[in-house]
Amino acid sequence: MIIIDGKKVSSTVKEQVKNETAELKAKGITPGLAVILVGDDPASRVYVNNKKKACEYVGFRSEEFALPATTSQKELLDLVEQLNEREDINGILCQLPLPEGLDDNAVIEAISPLKDVDAFHKQNVGRIMIGDYDFLPCTPAGIMEMLHAYDISVDGKNCVVIGRSNIVGKPMAMLLLHENGTVTICHSRTKNLKEITSQADILVAAVGKPKFVTADMVKDGAVVIDVGMDRDENGKLCGDVDFENVKDKCSYITPVPGGVGPMTIATLMKNTLKAAKLQNKIYD
Ligand code: GUN
């Protein structure tokens, strides 16, 4: 069993982005990322801080817009509109979910598709479906990069994704399909979940429930990818997979923390760099 080191793979990606950023800066271009955080969800605060830290590391400018939970939909959309217009901002990210009363989808659709470094806008989602895209969503693309780094082939494999969110589950299934996986998406209404997951050569858990995937759900020798960021009964950070009991059945498994999380951020850096290049008509 090999524990996939997401931190290490993400460092390699960030190093590459850092080098390319230095080249861009020599041409007078500094990529800029706007990060919008509405309300005071502690987990979102941590994610946003980590994203800002990564920007600093690779040499981007990042600008944070921390708004109170009482912010109106119009105020938020006005801010997005201003950021769409600014030439020094290449990427716009609004941390989701938004507080009650604000519409995630309206904000996603307001972000210019050219600055949509999360790849959540329907125009970008559509482009991913047909395989003609500039940006890939950060978590699924980060997972694919991790599989590549460990020479794990998807071609012809049974891939099972648990979770059907627009952020992870659905695009994850699409990226696995692009690499010729035979993909099944499971969700809260799936019958016989265990029978399906037990067939998976590659199992991706994006459920949002602590230790949801137990050893009896996993095939011997499976590759298990854990997207969860949950708290166990003692308040300790854990994933969607019962790591201690599942790990010995796996060929590869990602830990939480130190697995998927760092890869999400590394992909965000890649996307922001690409956005800056495209907006400056650098095509390579
Ligand atoms: N919330 C959970 N994951 C993400 C992500 O990748 N991007 C944004 N903006 N919000 C999220």
Side-chain angles (χ1 to χ4, degrees), residues 180-192:
N180 305 315
T182 301
V183 185
T184 306
I185 305 177
C186 299
H187 46 78
S188 53
R189 306 287 282 268
T190 296
K191 295 192 171 67
N192 309 323

Side-chain angles (χ1 to χ4, degrees), residues 51 93-97 118 120 138-139 167 264:
K51 289 171 184 180
L93 175 153
C94 180
Q95 189 65 32
L96 302 178
D118 268 322
F120 291 165
C138 298
T139 298
I167 294 182
T264 297

Side-chain angles (χ1 to χ4, degrees), residues 119-133:
F120 291 165
H121 192 284
K122 57 187 162 197
Q123 200 168 304
N124 288 323
V125 174
R127 291 184 62 187
I128 292 161
M129 283 283 282
I130 57 172
D132 166 31
Y133 47 78

Side-chain angles (χ1 to χ4, degrees), residues 97-109:
L98 290 167
E100 194 108 357
L102 291 170
D103 181 356
D104 289 11
N105 283 328
V107 176
I108 289 169
E109 295 314 319

Side-chain angles (χ1 to χ4, degrees), residues 193-238:
L193 178 67
K194 193 173 95 175
E195 276 87 286
I196 299 169
T197 59
S198 305
Q199 305 284 319
D201 302 309
I202 299 175
L203 179 61
V204 180
V207 196
K209 290 187 182 157
K211 303 182 185 177
F212 180 84
V213 174
T214 47
D216 57 330
M217 296 167 71
V218 176
K219 180 180 170 179
D220 273 323
V223 176
V224 175
I225 306 292
D226 191 346
V227 183
M229 276 284 192
D230 314 309
R231 299 273 164 190
D232 70 9
E233 60 281 6
N234 303 315
K236 192 169 164 267
L237 186 65
C238 72

